[in-house]
Amino acid sequence: MPENNLNLTLHVWRQNGQGSKGKMVEYKADDISTDMSFLEMLDVVNESLIKDGEDPIAFDSDCREGICGTCGMVIDGVAHGPERATTVCQLHMRHFNNGDKIYIEPFRAKGFPVIKDLVVDRTSFDNIIKAGGYISANTGSAPDANEILIPKDVADRAMDSAACIGCGACVAACPNASASLFTSAKISHLAVLPQGKPESQSRVVSMVQQMDSEGFGSCSNHGECEAVCPKEISISNIARMRREYFKALVGK
Amino acid sequence: MAIDANIPSGSLDEKWTKYKSNVKLVSPANKRKYNVIVVGTGLAGASASASLAELGYNIKTFCIQDSPRRAHSVAAQGGINAAKNYQNDGDSIWRLFYDTIKGGDYRSREANVHRLSEISANIIDQCTAQGVPFAREYSGLLANRSFGGVQVSRTFYARGQTGQQLLLGAYSALMRQVNTGKVDLFANREMLDLVVIDGKARGIVCRNLLTGEIESYSADAVILATGGYGNVFYLSTNGQNSNVTAAWRCYKKGAYFANPCFTQIHPTCIPVSGDYQSKLTLMSEGLRNDGRAWVPKSGDDKRPPSEIPDEDRDYYLERKYPAFGNLVPRDIASRAAKAVCDEGRGVGETGLSVYLDFKTAIERQGEDVIRDRYGNLFDMYERITGENPYNVPMRIYPAVHYCMGGLWVDYGLMSNVPGLFVLGEANFSDHGANRLGASALMQGLADGYFVIPYTIGEYLAGAELKEVSTENSEFSQSENEVTNKINRLFDIKGDKTVAEFHRELGRLVWEYVGMSRSKEGLNKAIDEISKLRDEFWNNLKIPGDQNMFNKYLEMAGRVADFFELAEVMARDALEREESCGGHFREDHQTPEGEALRDDENYTHVSLWEYNGKDKPNFKKEDLNFENVTPTTRSYK
Amino acid sequence: MSAKSKGLSSVGKKLINGLTGLGLVFFVIVHLGGNLTLFSSNPDLFNSYAKKLHDLGFLLYAAEIGLLAVFIFHIVSAISVYMSKRKARAYGYHMKGNAGGASRKSISSVSMIYTGIILMAFIIWHVISLKFGPGIDQGYTTVLKGETARDLHKLVYEYFANPFNVSVYVIVMVLLGFHLRHGFWSAFQSLGANHPKYTPVINTTGYILAIVLAAGFLLIPIWIFINTGGGV
């Protein structure tokens, strides 16, 4: 075993689905290269579980380059683990020490029911977008792209908000399990752009309403969401959502 | 038998206009009577679902991910091409067309590529209207950059996340239609069979990945937008879920697979660090604008890079291609890196990487300039490797990135199975033997937003479609086949995991059907792949059971199909006795080691038709170049 | 679709909570301003301040009802936020952690509901013992400009001669500081006021306000306690 390799103890949440009760189970992860990503470490643990005839740990991932938003788990109490602006697929084992005990849990929220072990159902996020996270521009009806002038700083601000990958870490990290950062990022992205303005009032009302009905908590401005967000989306988006909502309240 | 691509008559620049004017229309009242299935929600699938629903069709959309927003289009970084000529630098529809044809090494259809080029400008308009935050100049006008070695700035981008932003635009349009009820969305579904009734595609059978249930859905047409098959190499820049299964099941139902050996290897990826590696990460090829590729002159030179003086370094791209240097096209840069590693001069622990050095650029322009240009990429590199590229040269190696090959389609994007349409990377249509940078996003959206809404109408209005439902026996037959296959996989109860098989398959494909290919190697590959496949079917071990979320079962089904595809890829590469684009045959090269194309014998699309035997039927679609004259690419 | 017809959303609750919170901060500042007169050796200063308020008559009642309403809205919206949180994560984490960095999560932010409930209980006690405490009828009388008035000064001085009362006040005022530490900037955030330049200013102001208000309020009982000779 190369001298830098790690021997770790994992405490992993195992749960067979929503109906069944889950529990933390201890696993050994030995001879882990520091060049592995966290998910590759779990791959290795699973390979040996399969060989031993045990049920491998269920977790989900797709692009493994931090952009699709599929992966996500809470590592030692922090969504996506200890590195800032990093999804768990981009978290590497060199940030851990030999002998570490690592607690691995799913994103916990009523709006994210557990499918199995570390895999949760985030359909609630799609439902929030469905409620109004779009500009109603039918294909073929668009004017020339340069007919809409958008100042660079406005485009940059829209992009800052649009960078959200919909992973759900904000919900997982929020002491209130609120989906405000996710919802507000889409509302802000569309509200700052001139194309998005005509629908901005109805959009914010529908999306907030949907967010509430999915069972997410209210926001208490802890800001933990911004701190775990792999794309560093700012809670100023949440403030904008409230401004937009206020405008809709006092508006028509 | 000659294959007819149904290309409209007339001059090149009139074909699409004429097609649109003459296309059969489905009246608005009738559109709501048609049901269309769309499989996949990447750029092509999401844009097609949204656009068709807007027209009034009833759409059922399926995706393998837990949300349509996660389709692998999301990972595209660089940008999207469009012949807008906003920069007044001489771009035009013709030039984009010409660049694409030439970049594809004259192995694509003129008519398709020209249409793509015509449509490109509309895509930017549409996406902007949807709120895609493209980069802007201080004037408020759209910004462009030049990309992939072309001479004009025609690439639109949204930071390094263009694919994500375009996909989110298409996704939001799709979700809007889900909200109106015109689209039924089925996430966490994997298509496992195409149902063909009376010779027409009439539905699909899929597995619910959360519950394991096998489900049937019927429709009047099926649109496949399921992406590429790069994961046949095990390691690629594709996502973990990217696979060939949906396309492969269509192949097994009679759809032709075209040019499977045309795969693109991207030169600037982060190298493999160990056996556990699950994925390769691409870094924008823009890095080659300032980075210099080198390896030590001697394979025995194990000094750290900073201690190797210039005279002991081989800047091999600058040496071999003095005119283009580090900016040669993707295929050439990739092969050159492989060549020096094969000579034993590769660097890093595995010996499978080359240096990409920014020292000269930092000295000349200052670290701040370099940081401004590549800061994000450098951070990403450091996150993954733990090395700081400002101080130590980056290490890079080529990786599989894109598949030009795919299911064969005609001009209307319909496969040879009537009613089965194939869009985006899943089809073979527009990129020939090599794809230009920033053109994949363009093609996916062109197909989905602007082509399929016309061409599907032409089919539906003309086809005689009898009533079918999932009660038809063809559906239960398909369901049985799918269930049996899953049972067979579970019943093997062997010792090796699916990842072990996939890794071994990947090594074979990479070694023999990768960056450079030879007759002997390909024959060996066919042999070895088939042996490994036998072992797979006799010694596979799948954990858990099928009635629940089970990643390893999903992977097993996909790897089973990759085995079959790999063999056909090797056969295709063997059949094509020339080098072109991403396909390099060692036995077909110039004395200087460059690709040697054979226009006389190979100006065609190779089609493979499943026949139940070891060797599928081979067919050709001849390519006619009426508007451009094939020339030899030279970057010396 | 109108926002009004849809009942109160989570965002609506935050708007109310933030607005009422700022109202209460304003009230507390004014309250402390008046109370500063207690530091004076002249009891008339405090008593005439109290009398002036009392003489407002109907206006005072209206203001008091308004203040009560603000309190109630603040409390109800806060409790409703808290309840939604309990429902939104029925099963908590085995290992709890803080992300640090940009996070504003702190003892102060996670204890808002507890400091809030304690403050509420305290205020009820405070109002009963002082505002509705013994008055003219019980002999707490003074003469201001020839008029008989309630000698609230005497009551307060007696009240804070008691070490128990002083301790409770000191502790609760520290908790008020914690509540304001998160509450002040959070109220702005809840109202949608977040700005790269001004938010740091608001945040610092919140810090300072928390310290000044807590210190101001807790120094009064301590000062009185010491001045009355450290107990009865």
Side-chain angles (χ1 to χ4, degrees):
Chain A
M1 158 175 153
E3 53 184 317
N4 293 332
N5 281 12
L6 310 173
N7 292 327
L8 306 163
T9 309
L10 312 179
H11 294 266
V12 185
W13 180 260
R14 302 304 307 267
Q15 181 179 349
N16 241 339
Q18 251 211 298
S20 64
K21 254 185 91 159
K23 60 169 193 261
M24 300 298 287
V25 178
E26 190 179 313
Y27 296 95
K28 292 275 175 231
D30 289 335
D31 196 15
I32 298 299
S33 158
T34 51
D35 283 331
M36 284 183 193
S37 72
F38 198 85
L39 298 186
E40 285 166 349
M41 182 273 291
L42 288 179
D43 285 339
V44 168
V45 170
N46 274 351
E47 285 292 295
S48 66
L49 287 176
I50 296 171
K51 295 260 176 188
D52 295 344
E54 288 180 53
D55 188 27
I57 301 160
F59 64 93
D60 210 354
S61 75
D62 197 8
C63 77
R64 295 208 175 185
E65 51 183 287
I67 192 74
C68 74
T70 308
C71 68
M73 50 192 77
V74 172
I75 298 168
D76 288 336
V78 178
H80 287 307
E83 284 295 290
R84 288 185 65 186
T86 303
T87 54
V88 68
C89 63
Q90 295 265 281
L91 172 67
H92 281 70
M93 297 311 293
R94 65 183 73 93
H95 302 294
F96 294 86
N97 298 314
N98 193 29
D100 275 358
K101 279 191 186 133
I102 305 174
Y103 284 78
I104 308 171
E105 299 178 67
F107 285 178
R108 295 191 191 276
K110 182 171 175 248
F112 289 170
V114 172
I115 290 166
K116 187 175 190 309
D117 303 340
L118 305 173
V119 184
V120 298
D121 184 347
R122 289 166 291 193
T123 308
S124 47
F125 270 16
D126 285 330
N127 291 342
I128 292 172
I129 298 297
K130 186 175 86 180
Y134 44 75
I135 290 169
S136 303
N138 277 1
T139 304
S141 58
D144 185 273
N146 259 347
E147 275 179 27
I148 313 162
L149 291 182
I150 302 174
K152 187 177 185 303
D153 63 321
V154 172
D156 285 348
R157 232 180 307 142
M159 183 62 214
D160 288 341
S161 306
C164 169
I165 59 174
C167 64
C170 46
V171 171
C174 177
N176 302 4
S178 165
S180 292
L181 192 64
F182 168 79
T183 309
S184 68
K186 184 49 67 187
I187 288 170
S188 299
H189 158 212
L190 298 176
V192 299
L193 291 173
Q195 306 94 297
K197 291 235 189 314
E199 293 169 284
S200 64
Q201 295 198 356
S202 62
R203 178 183 305 121
V204 66
V205 173
S206 316
M207 288 181 74
V208 163
Q209 206 187 331
Q210 191 63 38
M211 170 179 87
D212 289 351
S213 68
E214 295 292 339
F216 293 109
S218 299
C219 166
S220 293
N221 304 329
H222 294 291
E224 193 76 359
C225 50
E226 178 179 335
V228 299
C229 176
K231 297 294 153 191
E232 299 183 292
I233 303 222
S234 157
I235 55 170
S236 62
N237 288 287
I238 301 180
R240 182 181 296 278
M241 169 172 77
R242 289 163 174 162
R243 286 205 296 283
E244 293 293 326
Y245 190 83
F246 184 70
K247 277 193 246 167
L249 265 183
V250 300
K252 294 162 272 153
Chain B
M1 185 186 86
I3 301 293
D4 184 4
N6 300 315
I7 297 166
S9 58
S11 70
L12 187 62
D13 54 355
E14 281 175 352
K15 287 179 194 289
W16 180 233
T17 316
K18 265 179 69 180
Y19 181 95
K20 286 194 290 185
S21 327
N22 299 334
V23 74
K24 294 195 197 91
L25 296 177
V26 180
S27 81
N30 278 339
K31 281 190 184 116
R32 75 174 81 99
K33 294 182 189 155
Y34 286 110
N35 297 304
V36 178
I37 282 174
V38 181
V39 187
T41 58
L43 290 181
S47 59
S49 298
S51 303
L52 293 176
E54 285 162 12
L55 290 173
Y57 295 108
N58 301 311
I59 310 295
K60 288 189 176 72
T61 301
F62 297 80
C63 70
I64 203 166
Q65 293 85 358
D66 69 333
S67 163
R69 66 180 293 152
R70 310 202 197 284
H72 197 62
S73 303
V74 80
Q77 298 170 358
I80 177 167
N81 288 331
K84 280 281 197 187
N85 194 29
Y86 281 160
Q87 305 309 320
N88 196 30
D89 57 0
D91 198 12
S92 63
I93 288 171
W94 172 263
R95 195 175 290 276
L96 175 55
F97 157 75
Y98 181 77
D99 287 348
T100 309
I101 286 276
K102 180 182 175 211
D105 224 355
Y106 304 97
R107 291 295 174 263
S108 43
R109 250 185 232 147
E110 279 189 341
N112 281 56
V113 176
H114 198 271
R115 175 180 64 192
L116 174 66
S117 186
E118 287 172 53
I119 290 170
S120 64
N122 303 69
I123 299 172
I124 303 304
D125 300 341
Q126 180 61 29
C127 295
T128 301
Q130 285 170 345
V132 170
F134 285 121
R136 299 270 167 173
E137 304 291 354
Y138 284 102
S139 58
L141 295 164
L142 286 154
N144 290 115
R145 60 183 168 204
S146 82
F147 199 82
V150 295
Q151 289 149 311
V152 292
S153 287
R154 62 160 77 100
T155 304
F156 294 78
Y157 60 99
R159 295 203 186 133
Q161 291 139 269
T162 318
Q164 182 206 21
Q165 293 309 312
L166 294 173
L167 181 65
L168 292 181
Y171 160 74
S172 65
L174 164 66
M175 293 314 284
R176 176 174 157 240
Q177 293 306 318
V178 175
N179 200 30
T180 64
K182 288 308 286 181
V183 174
D184 278 330
L185 179 63
F186 300 88
N188 292 304
R189 299 301 201 288
E190 176 159 24
M191 170 177 163
L192 292 179
D193 206 5
L194 175 76
V195 178
V196 179
I197 300 176
D198 295 341
K200 298 192 177 81
R202 295 306 301 268
I204 63 167
V205 168
C206 56
R207 180 170 178 268
N208 181 326
L209 300 180
L210 302 186
T211 64
E213 272 167 89
I214 304 299
E215 304 167 339
S216 286
Y217 299 91
S218 64
D220 299 301
V222 174
I223 296 174
L224 207 68
T226 51
Y229 49 86
N231 272 347
V232 67
F233 289 86
Y234 183 64
L235 287 179
S236 79
T237 65
N238 283 4
Q240 302 292 298
N241 290 319
S242 304
N243 69 80
V244 77
T245 289
W248 201 249
R249 303 303 165 93
C250 293
Y251 163 76
K252 295 199 96 169
K253 284 289 169 86
Y256 303 146
F257 212 102
N259 296 336
C261 80
F262 286 169
T263 50
Q264 183 169 71
I265 316 268
H266 196 290
T268 50
C269 297
I270 298 176
V272 177
S273 63
D275 256 357
Y276 49 79
Q277 186 120 4
S278 58
K279 136 110 201 170
L280 293 172
T281 305
L282 173 87
M283 288 181 301
S284 170
E285 62 187 325
L287 287 172
R288 288 195 283 138
N289 286 322
D290 286 299
R292 300 175 70 196
W294 65 275
V295 289
K297 279 188 176 154
S298 155
D300 303 325
D301 195 341
K302 296 298 171 204
R303 286 175 289 178
S306 58
E307 289 170 23
I308 302 179
D310 246 12
E311 59 268 23
D312 292 339
R313 297 178 176 192
D314 177 15
Y315 293 94
Y316 58 91
L317 285 176
E318 296 168 24
R319 173 173 58 80
K320 285 184 179 168
Y321 307 98
F324 277 69
N326 292 293
L327 291 173
V328 290
R330 288 177 177 179
D331 50 345
I332 292 175
S334 297
R335 270 199 302 278
K338 180 180 192 296
V340 293
C341 291
D342 287 350
E343 290 164 17
R345 298 194 287 144
V347 298
E349 263 177 50
T350 56
L352 285 177
S353 60
V354 299
Y355 290 125
L356 188 64
D357 202 331
F358 291 85
K359 191 156 180 276
T360 318
I362 289 174
E363 278 167 6
R364 200 176 53 229
Q365 305 171 70
E367 191 172 313
D368 287 346
V369 175
I370 297 301
R371 190 182 302 277
D372 193 45
R373 232 170 256 172
Y374 309 113
N376 287 348
L377 292 168
F378 279 33
D379 290 349
M380 179 173 83
Y381 180 84
E382 188 173 1
R383 193 176 298 141
I384 292 170
T385 62
E387 289 172 357
N388 179 347
Y390 294 102
N391 307 330
V392 194
M394 271 187 183
R395 286 182 304 111
I396 56 164
Y397 200 63
V400 178
H401 176 54
Y402 186 85
C403 300
M404 283 75 68
L407 290 177
W408 181 86
V409 288
D410 67 4
Y411 186 74
L413 302 183
M414 189 162 81
S415 74
N416 56 308
V417 177
L420 173 66
F421 292 81
V422 190
L423 274 52
E425 192 181 346
N427 75 24
F428 88 104
S429 75
D430 296 351
H431 306 296
N434 177 50
R435 179 178 64 75
L436 289 183
S439 282
L441 304 184
M442 171 174 69
Q443 186 221 336
L445 290 179
D447 289 359
Y449 283 133
F450 296 109
V451 180
I452 193 71
Y454 292 94
T455 62
I456 204 167
E458 166 83 3
Y459 169 74
L460 291 172
E464 281 178 26
L465 296 163
K466 68 168 193 185
E467 280 287 305
V468 303
S469 77
T470 52
E471 304 297 312
N472 282 52
S473 63
E474 284 86 348
F475 279 94
S476 48
Q477 205 181 320
S478 266
E479 284 190 20
N480 286 340
E481 281 165 23
V482 164
T483 311
N484 288 343
K485 184 168 180 190
I486 292 173
N487 289 339
R488 261 182 76 202
L489 287 168
F490 265 108
D491 288 344
I492 302 170
K493 298 195 196 318
D495 298 319
K496 271 166 79 171
T497 64
V498 61
E500 287 174 299
F501 280 112
H502 196 178
R503 206 177 287 134
E504 283 179 46
L505 171 66
R507 274 196 198 118
L508 283 174
V509 183
W510 180 248
E511 184 63 29
Y512 300 114
V513 202
M515 268 186 284
S516 87
R517 299 146 177 191
S518 69
K519 193 171 226 161
E520 301 70 44
L522 290 165
N523 277 317
K524 190 168 175 202
I526 293 171
D527 201 38
E528 299 267 318
I529 291 166
S530 127
K531 273 190 221 149
L532 188 63
R533 185 173 61 167
D534 285 344
E535 195 198 338
F536 173 86
W537 281 103
N538 286 301
N539 197 23
L540 174 71
K541 183 179 179 123
I542 308 179
D545 69 75
Q546 64 210 58
N547 299 317
M548 63 192 315
F549 182 87
N550 189 340
K551 276 275 157 202
Y552 294 88
L553 170 61
E554 294 171 27
M555 280 157 57
R558 295 168 196 167
V559 172
D561 290 336
F562 279 139
F563 271 112
E564 298 179 15
L565 164 74
E567 235 181 277
V568 179
M569 278 172 74
R571 287 190 194 283
D572 187 43
L574 197 58
E575 191 280 333
R576 191 170 281 279
E577 297 262 6
E578 64 160 351
S579 295
C580 62
H583 170 64
F584 185 79
R585 281 279 299 262
E586 288 161 12
D587 35 359
H588 297 283
Q589 54 181 318
T590 65
E592 300 89 48
E594 298 304 323
L596 191 61
R597 220 173 53 214
D598 178 355
D599 288 340
E600 197 164 325
N601 296 305
Y602 290 95
T603 307
H604 62 241
V605 181
S606 302
L607 275 56
W608 298 91
E609 182 188 31
Y610 180 69
N611 55 13
K613 297 183 215 139
D614 270 355
K615 190 173 187 303
N617 301 334
F618 173 72
K619 293 180 176 181
K620 286 186 215 176
E621 177 202 333
D622 288 321
L623 295 168
N624 301 310
F625 289 94
E626 292 161 357
N627 299 277
V628 297
T629 316
T631 56
T632 305
R633 297 191 305 161
S634 170
Y635 299 93
K636 284 282 172 187
Chain C
M1 193 187 319
S2 152
K4 287 170 232 172
S5 63
K6 292 295 173 190
L8 209 47
S9 70
S10 61
V11 175
K13 284 173 200 159
K14 290 307 288 184
L15 291 174
I16 290 178
N17 195 257
L19 200 62
T20 52
L22 283 186
L24 292 174
V25 170
F26 177 73
F27 164 71
V28 169
I29 292 170
V30 172
H31 191 12
L32 179 66
N35 286 10
L36 287 178
T37 52
L38 281 166
F39 284 114
S40 161
S41 55
N42 176 8
D44 288 356
L45 224 54
F46 181 67
N47 279 333
S48 51
Y49 159 66
K51 182 169 183 298
K52 237 175 248 165
L53 283 180
H54 193 253
D55 289 349
L56 290 172
F58 171 76
L59 269 179
L60 179 68
Y61 289 127
E64 282 174 349
I65 289 168
L67 184 61
L68 181 68
V70 168
F71 265 112
I72 288 171
F73 274 107
H74 192 70
I75 291 163
V76 169
S77 58
I79 288 176
S80 146
V81 165
Y82 177 72
M83 298 306 278
S84 82
K85 153 200 173 133
R86 295 290 298 270
K87 266 192 267 170
R89 182 174 293 125
Y91 192 99
Y93 291 105
H94 284 248
M95 178 61 94
K96 291 191 172 56
N98 289 314
S103 179
R104 290 160 179 276
K105 190 174 148 197
S106 60
I107 298 175
S108 151
S109 82
V110 295
S111 62
M112 291 300 278
I113 189 74
Y114 309 110
T115 50
I117 287 170
I118 293 170
L119 280 167
M120 177 178 72
F122 165 82
I123 289 163
I124 293 169
W125 181 56
H126 170 76
V127 169
I128 290 174
S129 14
L130 295 176
K131 181 171 169 61
F132 296 118
I136 297 175
D137 296 347
Q138 285 77 26
Y140 289 86
T141 334
T142 183
V143 177
L144 291 171
K145 293 179 187 162
E147 281 180 58
T148 308
R150 186 184 181 197
D151 191 352
L152 202 54
H153 186 271
K154 181 181 166 197
L155 179 66
V156 171
Y157 266 63
E158 283 177 14
Y159 193 76
F160 288 130
N162 179 341
F164 173 76
N165 290 349
V166 173
S167 319
V168 171
Y169 269 68
V170 167
I171 292 166
V172 172
M173 288 309 114
V174 171
L175 296 183
L176 172 70
F178 274 99
H179 199 79
L180 288 172
R181 155 77 190 94
H182 179 70
F184 186 72
W185 94 267
S186 178
F188 282 91
Q189 170 76 7
S190 293
L191 291 171
N194 185 309
H195 188 276
K197 231 193 269 168
Y198 304 122
T199 296
V201 177
I202 291 170
N203 196 28
T204 313
T205 311
Y207 246 125
I208 295 168
L209 260 184
I211 292 169
V212 167
L213 288 173
F217 276 117
L218 71 79
L219 282 177
I220 293 170
I222 292 176
W223 193 82
I224 293 175
F225 184 71
I226 293 167
N227 269 330
T228 51
V232 183

